[in-house]
Amino acid sequence: MTNYGTIPTSSSPPINLDYISRAKERLKDGLGTRRPWRQMFDLHCFTLPKSFGESLSRVKTNAGYFLMNYALIVLGIVFLSLLWHPISLIVFIAMMLVWIFLYFLRDEPLMVFNHTIGERTVLIVLSVVTLVVLLLTHATSEILISLLVGVVVVLVHSVVRKTDDLADEEAAGGLLR
């Protein structure tokens, strides 16, 4: 005889919510350094610099202050350029997930065969692997052009955006010193 409407009582193994909550916190912390887009594109803060030295100073300060915003802009431009190359887009998304889990969401040092791998090594290896894997998808020109466009967009913004109103100038400048 079957019992309709009964709730099964078998216990399933508990889900490790601790890892998920830590990942959410680290992601929030990382995105917390993103500055408001309204502040970044405030039209009253755009002027041409008076000298080359002022241009370099603006680039240094703005790059430190708007670093996460600039990274999102460049990644967005690369993403848009890969829309016409679905295989490259899938590889790009897969590599972003690898970056998130192996670099951004990691709390402890990476261990491989009982050896600790340093942050710099992880960064270099992930960068090289990402570039090689993307270039193997035969979208080389699109990737390089989109990276160049992204860098030019970031440089133009950082040169013409005044730095007088930025609150964290000391902390922002310390990043690129």
Side-chain angles (χ1 to χ4, degrees):
M1 173 171 205
T2 40
N3 294 329
Y4 292 105
T6 60
I7 299 174
T9 58
S10 66
S11 63
S12 60
I15 299 173
N16 187 1
L17 295 178
D18 184 42
Y19 179 75
I20 294 171
S21 62
R22 278 192 327 219
K24 285 171 65 175
E25 285 301 316
R26 295 226 18 196
L27 200 57
K28 282 181 186 178
D29 290 344
L31 289 176
T33 60
R34 181 185 60 82
R35 306 299 178 171
W37 294 103
R38 185 171 283 167
Q39 179 186 19
M40 188 173 176
F41 294 110
D42 184 7
L43 294 179
H44 301 303
C45 295
F46 288 102
T47 61
L48 292 176
K50 292 181 170 68
S51 67
F52 183 72
E54 184 182 354
S55 298
L56 290 178
S57 174
R58 285 185 182 188
V59 168
K60 187 176 178 182
T61 303
N62 283 328
Y65 192 78
F66 293 115
L67 183 65
M68 183 60 73
N69 298 68
Y70 288 156
L72 290 173
I73 288 170
V74 171
L75 285 174
I77 290 171
V78 171
F79 179 82
L80 290 175
S81 75
L82 294 177
L83 286 177
W84 290 269
H85 297 276
I87 299 298
S88 298
L89 187 60
I90 292 168
V91 168
F92 180 72
I93 292 169
M95 289 308 298
M96 280 180 42
L97 291 173
V98 169
W99 273 85
I100 287 171
F101 286 108
L102 288 181
Y103 190 74
F104 294 111
L105 295 182
R106 213 170 18 93
D107 286 336
E108 295 116 23
L110 187 63
M111 297 288 288
V112 177
F113 299 118
N114 292 328
H115 294 289
T116 303
I117 307 297
E119 289 288 318
R120 178 177 279 170
T121 306
V122 173
L123 181 67
I124 291 170
V125 169
L126 280 176
S127 299
V128 169
V129 168
T130 301
L131 197 60
V132 167
V133 169
L134 279 174
L135 294 178
L136 288 176
T137 63
H138 303 295
T140 306
S141 61
E142 289 81 2
I143 293 166
L144 295 178
I145 289 171
S146 65
L147 284 173
L148 181 65
V149 168
V151 168
V152 168
V153 166
V154 165
L155 277 176
V156 167
H157 179 272
S158 65
V159 167
V160 298
R161 172 70 168 77
K162 290 189 301 186
T163 59
D164 302 340
D165 66 326
L166 301 181
D168 265 7
E169 283 187 57
E170 189 175 309
L175 179 69
L176 298 175
R177 285 189 184 145

